[in-house]
Amino acid sequence: MAVVAGQQNFDIYLSSTPPKQLRFRILNADQTFKITISVYYFSSNRVDVYKNGRFELPTNGAYDSNGLFKVNDYNTNLDSYMPKIANQSGTNLAVREHRKVYATMAGADYLDFKMTAVLFLKFGVPAITESDFFRPENLVQNFADLFGIDPSRIRRVNIIGESRRKRQTQGIKFIELIIYDNPSVDDSSITPEDLKSEDNLNQLYANITNWYTTGQLQQMASDRLNVTLSSLQVEKPLSDSANEIKKLDKIRIIQDADNCREQSPCLTQPILVVLDESNKTVTGLGSSTNPWKIRAKIVSSTNLNMEIILESEASLGDDGFVQFSELGLSQVANSFRLEFELVAPEAVSNPNVNSVQQKAISCSQAVLDLKHMDDQLIVDTDELFNLTVLIVDKYTQTAVNNISWRNHEWRAAVRVYNLPKSQPTGSLTSSSNLVQIDLETKSVKLIDLFLDAPGMYIVEVTIISIGNEYILNKKSNVILVKSPTQSITLSESEPPILYLKFDQNITQNTDMIEVYKAIIYNSLIAKHDLLLTRAISVYDFNMANLAFSLSSDPSSLVTELNNGFVLVDGINLAEATLDDQSVDVKVLTVVDDSNLDGSIDGTSSNACKLEIKQMMLFFIQNKNTRKYQRIQNILSTCTFARN
């Protein structure tokens, strides 16, 4: 939102790519309040302007006798086409060279700017081409026949003579073709017809660029039209740049596949690039519907049973590069070699481009891990539940391709994990002792489990392959077991009311995060009969937060925090905030002999003296006289905080 003054011009630049549809409205103004605006677009595609939901013809636009929307050349007298404040609201003009849309706007109206798909093509042809070829009516029909489209879709033709080009292009004329469809008249939103037109133009773009890069289009133009196409520049529908399409000549490996383990993606994935005859990258060939691809295959291996798994093909991007992401191998091999070949889209002739081979590499044994598929569970005591784990690659955490490779068979076991403190009293049982191993999903499901006492638990799942080649262990996410009379619903929309800050990093060891959550719940929530309403979060190195119902009295919780709280050995609560109020927290510390070199202030106590005397005896026996003297000096003035 911005404050604007009437009878003024305003230029609008957006900090990121504009959306397909923009709406402008002047608030608190009537029809007499008028301004002109210009909006900058990264793309030079057509932008249609709608006033109060109805399409407004641009000042250089008109419908011909066949009802086709066309735009005229404004370059001879641009100022006469430019919208002015005196014009009626909705007057507009898109200037492709400026990449701007200009419009007049009144206070009572709203304007929608809708970006519309357009395909721009620029062909180079020899200037000696017969003059009849350059007649507009002939050009439209000739290129429509070449592309296999209705001539009515080519809405504008420009011929640029050689005198307007640089010296190196002398002897060449350029033909610009602009292809688009009619705008929707009474719908400023993105309609199904708009999307259909965009898809159709993208497919036409793909066909033309594919035919040109393989030489098919040049051959068809020579055979059918007796004309030589020497160059092609295209601007893809709704893109923000033009590409010069070159003829494909070769592919080159930028990065070899490497660091491969059986049944999972190689840690180093192959990257390739397509080049023209001048070793320049061929750009502009990307397509989401019918792409060029690079196919990988094994050409030699010490293991004849090895196969490529997960991903054997990758698509060519608009930038001319091909990036594999999941190429993997099925089995171990001491040495193997990959070959990459270029594969053309459907209905496009394969170019005469040689395959390339990468260096020989090895594939090592799989390194496996387990991944839990269950979020935090909330169950009643004695209520049956299931746990599911995936067998995954340890480093990428992606599911292995085939868990029965090399005839692997699996068995599973589960037990309650013993927390370092605040362990609930319940035991874990399976009513059926069933384990479901799914080869399709690569998962192992433990069925019909139940816990018989309230609290927050963690269970440990162990998966073992027959022959003990793999023994995999994984702690579950927390499982909240409640009384059947309780109703617990955890919501992220519930704001946290208890914030805990610890004196050590509690996020570094990711294997312990769920353990910390369970200890916090059992020690601070369940122990004080509070009802959890938001899941416990651990974040920002040393922070945790949660929410519970304030309908219960939290005074006993406050007392516990006042007395200090140890999460696990070496990690103590440093600060706490409850319901936006700071809570006094006794910071607990452990005194060891290194602390005795500093000053300790406080009042003496018999317990303190007894502990120091015991330490004195230790130091005397070990002939540590310096610390013995230091202990004597602080005997009368010391305090200890105890866990």
Side-chain angles (χ1 to χ4, degrees), residues 10-260:
F10 296 93
D11 295 324
I12 300 172
Y13 294 86
L14 302 181
S15 58
S16 59
T17 303
K20 287 185 179 181
Q21 182 185 12
L22 277 172
R23 173 167 291 184
F24 297 94
R25 184 196 297 268
I26 303 174
L27 301 178
N28 304 317
D30 59 20
Q31 194 69 31
T32 62
F33 187 97
K34 296 175 72 177
I35 61 173
T36 60
I37 61 174
S38 70
V39 182
Y40 179 83
Y41 281 82
F42 295 97
S43 169
S44 59
N45 278 260
R46 194 179 91 214
V47 177
D48 296 331
V49 176
Y50 292 77
K51 182 178 74 173
N52 303 327
R54 294 282 300 178
F55 174 68
E56 292 287 324
L57 275 171
T59 55
N60 67 330
Y63 289 97
D64 67 10
S65 58
N66 295 316
L68 300 177
F69 170 64
K70 295 183 178 181
V71 292
N72 302 313
D73 185 8
Y74 46 68
N75 288 313
T76 55
N77 190 2
L78 178 60
D79 187 64
S80 65
Y81 291 99
M82 194 65 72
K84 299 175 178 61
I85 290 177
N87 298 138
Q88 69 175 14
S89 179
T91 302
N92 69 91
L93 174 68
V95 181
R96 184 168 181 244
E97 291 75 12
H98 297 179
R99 297 202 170 197
K100 283 185 176 182
V101 180
Y102 300 85
T104 303
M105 187 176 182
D109 302 318
Y110 64 87
L111 299 184
D112 288 305
F113 287 21
K114 182 168 75 172
M115 195 183 302
T116 306
V118 177
L119 176 58
F120 293 95
L121 304 169
K122 182 189 287 186
F123 289 97
V125 298
I128 59 173
T129 303
E130 292 185 17
S131 58
D132 282 351
F133 179 83
F134 293 105
R135 292 178 181 174
E137 62 274 15
N138 291 345
L139 274 177
V140 170
Q141 187 63 56
N142 288 338
F143 277 103
D145 291 342
L146 197 60
F147 302 154
I149 63 173
D150 191 287
S152 65
R153 301 197 68 196
I154 302 177
R155 300 298 175 91
R156 188 172 170 187
V157 176
N158 295 324
I159 300 173
I160 303 173
E162 59 180 323
S163 61
R164 296 177 59 185
R165 308 302 299 170
K166 295 180 180 179
R167 178 174 298 176
Q168 60 264 33
T169 62
Q170 286 185 354
I172 299 293
K173 285 188 176 182
F174 292 89
I175 302 169
E176 286 185 336
L177 305 174
I178 304 176
I179 304 173
Y180 55 84
D181 297 307
N182 275 12
S184 53
V185 175
D186 55 1
D187 194 341
S188 61
S189 63
I190 306 300
T191 65
E193 289 75 18
D194 293 327
L195 297 176
K196 182 179 179 181
S197 173
E198 181 182 339
D199 289 342
N200 190 283
L201 288 172
N202 276 320
Q203 185 58 57
L204 181 59
Y205 164 88
N207 290 342
I208 292 171
T209 54
N210 290 339
W211 292 335
Y212 189 89
T213 197
T214 58
Q216 284 180 265
L217 191 65
Q218 297 91 313
Q219 189 62 51
M220 289 190 295
S222 177
D223 294 343
R224 300 179 188 179
L225 307 178
N226 195 29
V227 67
T228 300
L229 301 180
S230 60
S231 66
L232 170 61
Q233 284 191 347
V234 295
E235 187 170 326
K236 193 175 184 178
L238 300 179
S239 72
D240 56 6
S241 62
N243 289 291
E244 183 174 1
I245 306 301
K246 299 293 187 66
K247 191 173 180 180
L248 286 169
D249 183 66
K250 61 180 72 71
I251 56 178
R252 178 177 294 167
I253 298 174
I254 302 299
Q255 176 174 282
D256 290 335
D258 208 350
N259 300 313
C260 300

Side-chain angles (χ1 to χ4, degrees), residues 453-608:
M456 188 168 280
Y457 295 80
I458 291 175
V459 301
E460 187 172 40
V461 177
T462 301
I463 308 293
I464 303 173
S465 63
I466 304 301
N468 295 338
E469 181 179 354
Y470 291 100
I471 301 176
L472 310 175
N473 294 286
K474 194 71 172 181
K475 292 193 286 288
S476 72
N477 295 324
V478 291
I479 302 171
L480 199 167
V481 181
K482 64 182 183 66
S483 167
T485 60
Q486 281 185 310
S487 177
I488 297 180
T489 302
L490 305 183
S491 172
E492 287 299 311
S493 63
E494 188 79 16
I497 64 169
L498 178 61
Y499 290 86
L500 306 172
K501 182 176 182 180
F502 295 91
D503 61 0
Q504 301 293 327
N505 189 336
I506 59 174
T507 61
Q508 184 174 10
N509 186 353
T510 56
D511 195 46
M512 288 294 291
I513 288 177
E514 295 298 304
V515 174
Y516 297 151
K517 292 179 183 179
I519 293 173
I520 290 171
Y521 177 84
N522 295 329
S523 302
L524 303 180
I525 302 300
K527 178 180 177 180
H528 300 285
D529 296 323
L530 301 173
L531 187 67
L532 193 69
T533 58
R534 177 190 172 100
I536 300 169
S537 297
V538 175
Y539 62 100
D540 284 356
F541 301 108
N542 60 354
M543 293 294 298
N545 68 34
L546 54 95
F548 58 84
S549 173
L550 290 174
S551 61
S552 301
D553 183 7
S555 57
S556 61
L557 167 63
V558 174
T559 300
E560 175 146 345
L561 297 177
N562 293 155
N563 292 331
F565 175 67
V566 178
L567 184 61
V568 294
D569 286 345
I571 301 179
N572 306 301
L573 184 64
E575 299 175 17
T577 302
L578 176 60
D579 199 19
D580 295 329
Q581 299 295 317
S582 179
V583 177
D584 290 333
V585 174
K586 184 176 183 180
V587 180
L588 302 179
T589 59
V590 178
V591 176
D592 58 28
D593 70 291
S594 62
N595 292 331
L596 298 177
D597 284 331
S599 61
I600 303 177
D601 297 323
T603 59
S604 62
S605 68
N606 291 331
C608 172

